[in-house]
């Protein structure tokens, strides 16, 4: 949902017209899938990183508009909260030294942005949930000033018709209410984009769903919210609850949530777009002038603006994307399960593991989704979010297995083979997958380091929880700039 929105109140006529237009777009999309030439010759990849801004005291810095103006780089955009930014890396191939190019560009962009942020007494922190956030920070007044966020907030809260309940039970428990979607701004993620051909999209989406739990377990980096230690990847539960448009009665009726893992393996990308239209009422019924049928019949490439906008308000953990680049349409899997951070090299290790493993499983002779039930994949996902590196997941032919053993014994070789299929340089493959291997051997990811650092501050330094969290974030920010993998970080 990256477009500007100026309309705040929608009429019944708006909603009727929008629903008709979305369905017209869906019909055109079906025709395109049958006989249109999608760009898929050399699959491009992309990365999006959501960032936190903190001040010198490790408090969230509500200055994204000022800092964005100072950065003056179109790769950086606003995000939901005034303490958020988003960095969109330029799409590229990962063959040969593609990952090294990503690393150089990301580190350069973040360094330049940090220099600009320093002029506003702020710095950038890459973390799934900023540990020093409080309920007082996550309020409607601290949403970014871009009108699209206000409209989205009004539509979600209006659809809910009551305050949104947050109830997360982990190591400790958080139970509270909010009258806005501002807590969603705490969820800062790392998103991977993988361009795929129409006839192989289902295989890549199914593979991405199957490994979502593994990704979350080894990449968890969000153990704290509002001063409480909750899940290893609390971001999963928070995002699911903070954007839930359903009151209790609709939950009891089995109405689907807008943050959705899904409920079945698919056979076509069309399945996902059709589900979005069938199950989810529009949040932003904004129509464009294009008639997609006329554009298609004239030999053009339809924008399908209404369908794309609607798709952007259904928050699947693996989202289907239809987009157009240089006049050619293409399809992407948008993998949204991981948190930002801890370092650029950690995020690229996560990327290498995802891209390689997704390809290996998607192209396997016997698909993983023919052996793993969809419900098991979803249970793995939430078990991984709760337990992180300590998660025990279900896997075909192995039964219940510790995630670190599963990765070391089974999945890392597959990821390596998948990266070979992309033409990744062996040295880059081994460097990045070696970080995943060492995370599993040491049992240490971002969530583990954060919790150990807070415990050490509390027990060795005699700090209370609030002081310990601020101390940890300061140390985290220092270590992050070293770009050393988090499994090597000292706890002091």
């Amino acid at each position: 949902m990256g477009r500007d929105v100026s309309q705040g109140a929608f009429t019944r006529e708006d909603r009727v017209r929008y629903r008709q237009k979305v369905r017209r777009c869906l019909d055109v999309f079906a025709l395109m899938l049958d006989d249109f030439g999608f760009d898929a010759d050399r699959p491009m990849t992309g990365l999006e990183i959501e960032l936190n801004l903190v001040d010198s005291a490790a408090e969230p810095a509500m200055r994204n508009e000022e800092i964005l103006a100072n950065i003056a780089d179109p790769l950086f955009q606003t995000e939901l909260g005034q303490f958020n930014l988003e960095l969109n890396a330029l799409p590229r191939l990962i063959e040969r030294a593609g990952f090294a190019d990503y690393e150089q560009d990301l580190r350069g962009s973040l360094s330049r942005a940090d220099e600009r942020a320093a002029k506003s007494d702020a710095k950038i922190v890459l973390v799934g949930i900023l540990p020093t956030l409080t309920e007082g920070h996550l309020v409607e007044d601290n949403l970014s000033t871009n009108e699209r966020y206000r409209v989205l907030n009004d539509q979600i809260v209006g659809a809910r018709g009551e305050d949104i309940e947050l109830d997360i039970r982990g190591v400790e428990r958080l139970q509270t209410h909010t009258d806005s979607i501002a807590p969603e701004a705490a969820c800062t993620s790392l998103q991977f984009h993988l361009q795929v051909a129409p006839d192989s999209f289902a295989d890549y989406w199914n593979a991405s769903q199957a490994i979502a739990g593994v990704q979350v377990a080894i990449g968890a980096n969000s153990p704290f919210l509002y001063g409480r230690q909750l899940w290893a990847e609390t971001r999963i539960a928070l995002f699911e609850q903070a954007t839930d448009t359903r009151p209790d009665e609709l939950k009891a009726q089995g109405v689907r949530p807008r943050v959705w893992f899904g409920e079945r393996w698919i056979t076509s990308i069309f399945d996902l777009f059709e589900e979005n239209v069938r199950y989810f009422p529009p949040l932003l019924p904004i129509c464009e002038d294009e008639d997609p049928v006329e554009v298609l019949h004239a030999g053009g490439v339809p924008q399908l603006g209404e369908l794309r906008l609607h798709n952007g308000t259904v928050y699947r953990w693996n989202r289907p994307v239809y987009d157009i680049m240089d006049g050619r349409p293409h399809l992407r899997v948008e993998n949204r399960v991981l948190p930002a951070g801890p370092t650029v090299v950690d995020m690229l290790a996560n990327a290498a593991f995802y891209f390689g493993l997704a390809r290996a499983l998607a192209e396997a002779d016997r698909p993983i989704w023919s052996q793993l039930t969809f419900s098991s994949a979803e249970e793995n996902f939430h078990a991984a979010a709760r337990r992180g590196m300590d998660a025990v997941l279900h896997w075909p032919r192995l039964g219940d297995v510790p995630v670190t053993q599963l990765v070391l014994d089974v999945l890392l070789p597959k990821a390596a083979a998948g990266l070979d299929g992309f033409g990744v340089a062996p040295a880059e493959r081994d460097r990045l997958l070696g970080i995943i291997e060492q995370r599993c051997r040491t049992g240490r990811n971002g969530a583990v380091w954060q919790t150990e650092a807070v415990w050490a501050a509390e027990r060795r330094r005699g700090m209370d929880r609030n002081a310990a969290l601020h101390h940890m974030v300061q140390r985290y920010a220092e270590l992050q700039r070293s770009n050393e993998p988090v499994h090597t970080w000292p706890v002091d």
Side-chain angles (χ1 to χ4, degrees), residues 146-363:
N146 190 310
E147 187 62 23
R148 73 175 184 255
Y149 300 121
R150 306 283 173 175
V151 174
L152 185 63
N153 175 75
D154 292 346
Q155 294 301 304
I156 289 178
V157 174
R160 175 77 176 232
E162 59 189 37
D163 283 357
I164 297 170
E165 182 182 15
L166 303 179
D167 188 358
I168 306 174
R169 307 180 191 199
V171 177
E172 298 167 345
R173 184 179 183 184
L174 172 68
Q175 192 172 25
T176 187
H177 291 80
T178 176
D179 61 1
S180 76
I181 64 169
E184 181 193 338
C187 304
T188 39
S189 66
L190 167 65
Q191 298 167 19
F192 303 136
H193 292 255
L194 179 58
Q195 185 178 323
V196 294
D199 59 358
S200 61
F201 183 93
D203 293 344
Y204 275 88
W205 188 85
N206 289 341
S208 298
Q209 291 285 98
I211 63 175
V214 179
Q215 286 182 268
V216 169
I218 62 174
N221 195 32
S222 313
F224 294 102
L225 175 64
Y226 294 171
R228 292 176 174 84
Q229 183 185 347
L230 301 170
W231 293 9
E233 189 48 41
T234 305
R235 190 182 114 268
I236 301 298
L238 178 59
F239 192 43
E240 289 178 342
Q241 295 181 21
T243 54
D244 199 341
T245 58
R246 307 167 302 161
D248 290 343
E249 294 80 4
L250 292 184
K251 294 178 186 178
Q253 293 172 35
V255 172
R256 279 87 173 170
R258 293 200 86 101
V259 177
W260 198 29
F261 188 81
E263 59 192 18
R264 64 188 176 107
W265 305 118
I266 65 169
T267 58
S268 166
I269 187 175
F270 187 79
D271 295 347
L272 302 177
F273 280 99
E274 185 181 39
E275 285 179 348
N276 288 356
V277 174
R278 180 188 305 157
Y279 296 142
F280 299 98
L283 286 180
L284 301 170
I286 302 166
C287 288
E288 299 184 358
D289 294 333
E290 177 191 76
D291 184 331
V293 174
E294 290 183 1
V295 173
L296 186 65
H297 286 167
V301 180
Q303 295 289 325
L304 306 183
E306 293 82 5
L307 185 64
R308 292 162 71 187
L309 176 59
H310 185 60
N311 185 57
T313 63
V314 179
Y315 304 100
R316 293 179 182 270
W317 292 110
N318 283 292
R319 177 187 275 166
V321 175
Y322 166 85
D323 206 350
I324 301 168
M325 182 177 293
D326 298 328
R328 293 192 66 187
H330 68 264
L331 306 177
R332 303 195 304 267
V333 177
E334 181 184 24
N335 179 257
R336 302 160 49 83
V337 305
L338 285 173
T343 65
V344 169
V345 75
D346 278 307
M347 292 188 292
L348 290 174
N350 291 337
F353 184 68
Y354 168 70
F355 289 136
L357 186 55
R359 178 165 183 155
L361 295 182
E363 297 182 356

Side-chain angles (χ1 to χ4, degrees), residues 414-426:
K414 293 183 184 298
L419 292 178
D420 289 343
F422 280 114
V424 174

Side-chain angles (χ1 to χ4, degrees), residues 12-23:
R12 295 179 181 180
E13 291 76 14
D14 290 333
R15 295 183 183 280
V16 170
R17 181 167 177 255
Y18 181 80
R19 180 175 285 109
Q20 293 171 344
K21 195 75 181 291
V22 167
R23 290 173 176 167

Side-chain angles (χ1 to χ4, degrees), residues 402-468:
V403 67
T404 52
Q405 179 185 335
L406 174 63
V407 171
L408 291 170
D409 295 348
V410 178
L411 300 183
L412 272 176
K414 293 183 184 298
L419 292 178
D420 289 343
F422 280 114
V424 174
E428 282 298 290
R429 175 201 66 202
D430 295 345
R431 178 176 75 100
L432 295 175
L433 292 186
I435 292 172
I436 302 298
E437 177 185 0
Q438 288 306 309
R439 250 189 245 163
C440 291
R441 294 199 184 281
T442 61
R444 302 183 62 75
N445 59 13
V448 171
W449 185 89
Q450 286 190 54
T451 54
E452 289 188 357
V454 168
W455 293 342
E458 289 176 336
R459 295 170 186 173
R460 298 176 194 166
R461 297 174 180 264
M463 295 181 177
D464 63 18
R465 176 61 61 84
N466 183 57

